[in-house]
Amino acid sequence: MIDLHSHILPGVDDGSPDIETSLAMARMAVADGIQVMAATPHFMPGMYDNEAHDIRQRVERFNNHLAEAGIPLSVVTGADAHIRPDFLNCLRDGTILTVNDSRYVLFEPPHNIMPQRMEDSLFNILMAGYVPVLTHPERLKWIEQHYDTVQRLSDTGIWMQITAGSLTGRFGRRPKYWAERMLNEGRIHILASDAHNLSSRPPLLSEAVRLAEAAVGMDEARNLVIVRPVNILDDEPAEKSPPVIVASGSAHTPHSFWRRLFGGE
């Protein structure tokens, strides 16, 4: 499996505090069946002032630590990027990291209040050729009052990522309800751990994948953690990925490193 949202990189945000914890998280992820993770630290001006070049160097060093420890996990670059007025400019100049330098970018909205111009911001990002991936909408406090906004965003091509722990009930009944609803409505493109630690927010996907399979079928469950993530790593256009929920075959694509690794055609 591929986990495209994690805070496994040590000492850069509210995720792993040190290299020992990060290596333990990596071992846990591998034991759960995860082979690739995106390190997506918070990019939040004024709170987590992470810089792209520094994160790239840290990811390279962490991969070296993984190799030295004999942990069969590959880590790619990314960012959990918070809304900001210059978001699009930051994408264009490389200040905000996309996932594995693709057109896909994790976009984290404010948790408590929906910004008035969020739809415009996401639409502008989409029109500029990027694919915004809205992170964990099921956990937002404002989803009840503004679910119509989430529906419109989904309908206009914004991708959605739910957290594995929401499906399993780790975050409580409310996020579980919204995760299940959005999954059943065909609004979810990616399932990810959003791992921060070894206990309350661990790097686990397999239990949630089993629940997704029961809800939308084996093919779509595989799409959530393998097929679409492979397409993201390969920077394939969004239309190359299978439609959500619908269990249909995708067009043949060239043999890539990621596709070969995960058994694609």
mmCIF file of all heavy atoms in Angstrom, residues 1-4 25-38 72-74 193 202-206 262:
data_model
loop_
_atom_site.group_PDB
_atom_site.id
_atom_site.type_symbol
_atom_site.label_atom_id
_atom_site.label_comp_id
_atom_site.label_asym_id
_atom_site.label_seq_id
_atom_site.Cartn_x
_atom_site.Cartn_y
_atom_site.Cartn_z
ATOM 1 N N MET A 1 0.833 -1.195 0.000
ATOM 2 C CA MET A 1 0.000 0.000 0.000
ATOM 3 C C MET A 1 0.875 1.255 0.000
ATOM 4 O O MET A 1 2.055 1.211 0.332
ATOM 5 C CB MET A 1 -0.905 0.006 1.237
ATOM 6 C CG MET A 1 -1.924 -1.127 1.278
ATOM 7 S SD MET A 1 -2.995 -1.059 2.750
ATOM 8 C CE MET A 1 -1.809 -1.473 4.038
ATOM 9 N N ILE A 2 0.257 2.362 -0.365
ATOM 10 C CA ILE A 2 0.928 3.665 -0.412
ATOM 11 C C ILE A 2 0.170 4.620 0.497
ATOM 12 O O ILE A 2 -1.047 4.749 0.401
ATOM 13 C CB ILE A 2 0.951 4.220 -1.849
ATOM 14 C CG1 ILE A 2 1.635 3.235 -2.796
ATOM 15 C CG2 ILE A 2 1.643 5.575 -1.892
ATOM 16 C CD1 ILE A 2 1.523 3.621 -4.258
ATOM 17 N N ASP A 3 0.899 5.301 1.357
ATOM 18 C CA ASP A 3 0.315 6.252 2.300
ATOM 19 C C ASP A 3 0.831 7.648 1.946
ATOM 20 O O ASP A 3 1.996 7.965 2.177
ATOM 21 C CB ASP A 3 0.729 5.861 3.721
ATOM 22 C CG ASP A 3 0.101 6.750 4.783
ATOM 23 O OD1 ASP A 3 -0.707 7.618 4.432
ATOM 24 O OD2 ASP A 3 0.438 6.555 5.972
ATOM 25 N N LEU A 4 -0.040 8.485 1.404
ATOM 26 C CA LEU A 4 0.391 9.777 0.875
ATOM 27 C C LEU A 4 0.184 10.951 1.831
ATOM 28 O O LEU A 4 0.317 12.101 1.418
ATOM 29 C CB LEU A 4 -0.319 10.056 -0.452
ATOM 30 C CG LEU A 4 0.072 9.128 -1.613
ATOM 31 C CD1 LEU A 4 -0.619 9.571 -2.893
ATOM 32 C CD2 LEU A 4 1.582 9.085 -1.802
ATOM 33 N N MET A 25 7.869 4.233 13.691
ATOM 34 C CA MET A 25 6.679 4.416 12.853
ATOM 35 C C MET A 25 6.858 3.723 11.511
ATOM 36 O O MET A 25 5.921 3.107 10.974
ATOM 37 C CB MET A 25 6.407 5.914 12.645
ATOM 38 C CG MET A 25 5.916 6.632 13.890
ATOM 39 S SD MET A 25 5.808 8.444 13.657
ATOM 40 C CE MET A 25 4.441 8.556 12.476
ATOM 41 N N ALA A 26 8.044 3.816 10.951
ATOM 42 C CA ALA A 26 8.320 3.162 9.669
ATOM 43 C C ALA A 26 8.182 1.647 9.796
ATOM 44 O O ALA A 26 7.605 0.987 8.914
ATOM 45 C CB ALA A 26 9.711 3.533 9.185
ATOM 46 N N ARG A 27 8.701 1.081 10.869
ATOM 47 C CA ARG A 27 8.566 -0.371 11.074
ATOM 48 C C ARG A 27 7.098 -0.767 11.209
ATOM 49 O O ARG A 27 6.658 -1.795 10.679
ATOM 50 C CB ARG A 27 9.345 -0.793 12.324
ATOM 51 C CG ARG A 27 10.864 -0.678 12.180
ATOM 52 C CD ARG A 27 11.578 -1.279 13.386
ATOM 53 N NE ARG A 27 13.020 -1.114 13.259
ATOM 54 C CZ ARG A 27 13.709 -0.115 13.797
ATOM 55 N NH1 ARG A 27 13.070 0.816 14.512
ATOM 56 N NH2 ARG A 27 15.015 -0.032 13.622
ATOM 57 N N MET A 28 6.335 0.039 11.926
ATOM 58 C CA MET A 28 4.906 -0.237 12.093
ATOM 59 C C MET A 28 4.185 -0.176 10.744
ATOM 60 O O MET A 28 3.330 -1.023 10.436
ATOM 61 C CB MET A 28 4.286 0.770 13.071
ATOM 62 C CG MET A 28 2.809 0.555 13.320
ATOM 63 S SD MET A 28 2.099 1.783 14.466
ATOM 64 C CE MET A 28 2.800 1.212 16.012
ATOM 65 N N ALA A 29 4.519 0.818 9.943
ATOM 66 C CA ALA A 29 3.891 0.964 8.631
ATOM 67 C C ALA A 29 4.201 -0.243 7.739
ATOM 68 O O ALA A 29 3.305 -0.798 7.084
ATOM 69 C CB ALA A 29 4.366 2.252 7.966
ATOM 70 N N VAL A 30 5.437 -0.651 7.707
ATOM 71 C CA VAL A 30 5.833 -1.795 6.886
ATOM 72 C C VAL A 30 5.119 -3.066 7.346
ATOM 73 O O VAL A 30 4.637 -3.858 6.534
ATOM 74 C CB VAL A 30 7.369 -1.979 6.918
ATOM 75 C CG1 VAL A 30 7.774 -3.310 6.298
ATOM 76 C CG2 VAL A 30 8.045 -0.821 6.173
ATOM 77 N N ALA A 31 5.026 -3.262 8.655
ATOM 78 C CA ALA A 31 4.336 -4.438 9.190
ATOM 79 C C ALA A 31 2.860 -4.438 8.799
ATOM 80 O O ALA A 31 2.238 -5.498 8.684
ATOM 81 C CB ALA A 31 4.479 -4.479 10.706
ATOM 82 N N ASP A 32 2.305 -3.251 8.564
ATOM 83 C CA ASP A 32 0.896 -3.134 8.173
ATOM 84 C C ASP A 32 0.698 -3.299 6.667
ATOM 85 O O ASP A 32 -0.430 -3.331 6.196
ATOM 86 C CB ASP A 32 0.366 -1.766 8.622
ATOM 87 C CG ASP A 32 -1.147 -1.677 8.580
ATOM 88 O OD1 ASP A 32 -1.811 -2.520 9.221
ATOM 89 O OD2 ASP A 32 -1.677 -0.775 7.894
ATOM 90 N N GLY A 33 1.796 -3.367 5.914
ATOM 91 C CA GLY A 33 1.689 -3.536 4.470
ATOM 92 C C GLY A 33 1.962 -2.301 3.653
ATOM 93 O O GLY A 33 1.744 -2.288 2.441
ATOM 94 N N ILE A 34 2.454 -1.251 4.279
ATOM 95 C CA ILE A 34 2.768 -0.009 3.571
ATOM 96 C C ILE A 34 4.197 -0.071 3.058
ATOM 97 O O ILE A 34 5.119 -0.412 3.792
ATOM 98 C CB ILE A 34 2.587 1.206 4.511
ATOM 99 C CG1 ILE A 34 1.115 1.321 4.938
ATOM 100 C CG2 ILE A 34 3.051 2.500 3.835
ATOM 101 C CD1 ILE A 34 0.877 2.305 6.074
ATOM 102 N N GLN A 35 4.372 0.251 1.786
ATOM 103 C CA GLN A 35 5.698 0.215 1.169
ATOM 104 C C GLN A 35 6.237 1.591 0.801
ATOM 105 O O GLN A 35 7.443 1.773 0.655
ATOM 106 C CB GLN A 35 5.674 -0.666 -0.087
ATOM 107 C CG GLN A 35 5.413 -2.136 0.194
ATOM 108 C CD GLN A 35 5.206 -2.905 -1.092
ATOM 109 O OE1 GLN A 35 4.082 -3.111 -1.539
ATOM 110 N NE2 GLN A 35 6.288 -3.334 -1.699
ATOM 111 N N VAL A 36 5.338 2.551 0.629
ATOM 112 C CA VAL A 36 5.735 3.917 0.280
ATOM 113 C C VAL A 36 4.935 4.884 1.138
ATOM 114 O O VAL A 36 3.729 4.700 1.331
ATOM 115 C CB VAL A 36 5.485 4.229 -1.216
ATOM 116 C CG1 VAL A 36 5.876 5.671 -1.528
ATOM 117 C CG2 VAL A 36 6.227 3.267 -2.119
ATOM 118 N N MET A 37 5.619 5.890 1.663
ATOM 119 C CA MET A 37 4.938 6.950 2.390
ATOM 120 C C MET A 37 5.400 8.297 1.850
ATOM 121 O O MET A 37 6.561 8.442 1.454
ATOM 122 C CB MET A 37 5.246 6.887 3.889
ATOM 123 C CG MET A 37 4.701 5.665 4.594
ATOM 124 S SD MET A 37 5.027 5.662 6.386
ATOM 125 C CE MET A 37 3.775 6.815 6.959
ATOM 126 N N ALA A 38 4.494 9.242 1.838
ATOM 127 C CA ALA A 38 4.880 10.625 1.567
ATOM 128 C C ALA A 38 5.063 11.325 2.904
ATOM 129 O O ALA A 38 4.184 11.261 3.770
ATOM 130 C CB ALA A 38 3.822 11.330 0.734
ATOM 131 N N PRO A 72 12.308 -1.703 4.820
ATOM 132 C CA PRO A 72 11.953 -1.604 3.398
ATOM 133 C C PRO A 72 10.802 -0.634 3.136
ATOM 134 O O PRO A 72 9.706 -1.018 2.725
ATOM 135 C CB PRO A 72 11.563 -3.039 3.037
ATOM 136 C CG PRO A 72 11.021 -3.600 4.312
ATOM 137 C CD PRO A 72 11.824 -2.957 5.424
ATOM 138 N N LEU A 73 11.062 0.632 3.394
ATOM 139 C CA LEU A 73 10.077 1.685 3.171
ATOM 140 C C LEU A 73 10.724 2.783 2.348
ATOM 141 O O LEU A 73 11.850 3.202 2.639
ATOM 142 C CB LEU A 73 9.593 2.256 4.507
ATOM 143 C CG LEU A 73 8.541 3.371 4.436
ATOM 144 C CD1 LEU A 73 7.191 2.804 4.005
ATOM 145 C CD2 LEU A 73 8.416 4.080 5.798
ATOM 146 N N SER A 74 10.015 3.262 1.334
ATOM 147 C CA SER A 74 10.474 4.405 0.545
ATOM 148 C C SER A 74 9.652 5.632 0.936
ATOM 149 O O SER A 74 8.430 5.551 1.039
ATOM 150 C CB SER A 74 10.305 4.134 -0.956
ATOM 151 O OG SER A 74 11.090 3.049 -1.370
ATOM 152 N N SER A 193 -3.074 7.668 6.207
ATOM 153 C CA SER A 193 -3.034 7.537 7.666
ATOM 154 C C SER A 193 -3.017 8.869 8.393
ATOM 155 O O SER A 193 -3.507 8.967 9.511
ATOM 156 C CB SER A 193 -1.806 6.719 8.083
ATOM 157 O OG SER A 193 -0.611 7.489 7.933
ATOM 158 N N PRO A 202 -1.418 6.423 14.548
ATOM 159 C CA PRO A 202 -0.350 5.573 14.019
ATOM 160 C C PRO A 202 -0.393 5.452 12.494
ATOM 161 O O PRO A 202 -1.404 5.744 11.857
ATOM 162 C CB PRO A 202 -0.646 4.220 14.668
ATOM 163 C CG PRO A 202 -2.143 4.210 14.796
ATOM 164 C CD PRO A 202 -2.527 5.632 15.110
ATOM 165 N N PRO A 203 0.700 4.981 11.900
ATOM 166 C CA PRO A 203 0.780 4.810 10.443
ATOM 167 C C PRO A 203 0.186 3.477 9.991
ATOM 168 O O PRO A 203 0.891 2.568 9.552
ATOM 169 C CB PRO A 203 2.291 4.864 10.183
ATOM 170 C CG PRO A 203 2.887 4.285 11.423
ATOM 171 C CD PRO A 203 1.997 4.721 12.554
ATOM 172 N N LEU A 204 -1.136 3.364 10.079
ATOM 173 C CA LEU A 204 -1.834 2.120 9.761
ATOM 174 C C LEU A 204 -2.928 2.374 8.725
ATOM 175 O O LEU A 204 -3.642 3.367 8.799
ATOM 176 C CB LEU A 204 -2.459 1.530 11.024
ATOM 177 C CG LEU A 204 -1.504 1.212 12.181
ATOM 178 C CD1 LEU A 204 -2.284 0.765 13.410
ATOM 179 C CD2 LEU A 204 -0.487 0.156 11.770
ATOM 180 N N LEU A 205 -3.057 1.439 7.794
ATOM 181 C CA LEU A 205 -4.082 1.537 6.757
ATOM 182 C C LEU A 205 -4.939 0.281 6.624
ATOM 183 O O LEU A 205 -6.080 0.353 6.174
ATOM 184 C CB LEU A 205 -3.431 1.809 5.385
ATOM 185 C CG LEU A 205 -2.797 3.164 5.130
ATOM 186 C CD1 LEU A 205 -2.192 3.200 3.730
ATOM 187 C CD2 LEU A 205 -3.810 4.285 5.297
ATOM 188 N N SER A 206 -4.414 -0.879 6.976
ATOM 189 C CA SER A 206 -5.040 -2.147 6.580
ATOM 190 C C SER A 206 -6.454 -2.321 7.138
ATOM 191 O O SER A 206 -7.351 -2.801 6.431
ATOM 192 C CB SER A 206 -4.160 -3.325 6.992
ATOM 193 O OG SER A 206 -3.964 -3.353 8.387
ATOM 194 N N PHE A 262 3.967 -2.003 -7.660
ATOM 195 C CA PHE A 262 2.688 -2.345 -7.086
ATOM 196 C C PHE A 262 1.813 -3.196 -8.005
ATOM 197 O O PHE A 262 0.601 -3.208 -7.901
ATOM 198 C CB PHE A 262 1.953 -1.065 -6.663
ATOM 199 C CG PHE A 262 2.555 -0.459 -5.445
ATOM 200 C CD1 PHE A 262 3.535 0.525 -5.558
ATOM 201 C CD2 PHE A 262 2.206 -0.903 -4.188
ATOM 202 C CE1 PHE A 262 4.137 1.057 -4.436
ATOM 203 C CE2 PHE A 262 2.796 -0.365 -3.057
ATOM 204 C CZ PHE A 262 3.764 0.613 -3.181
#
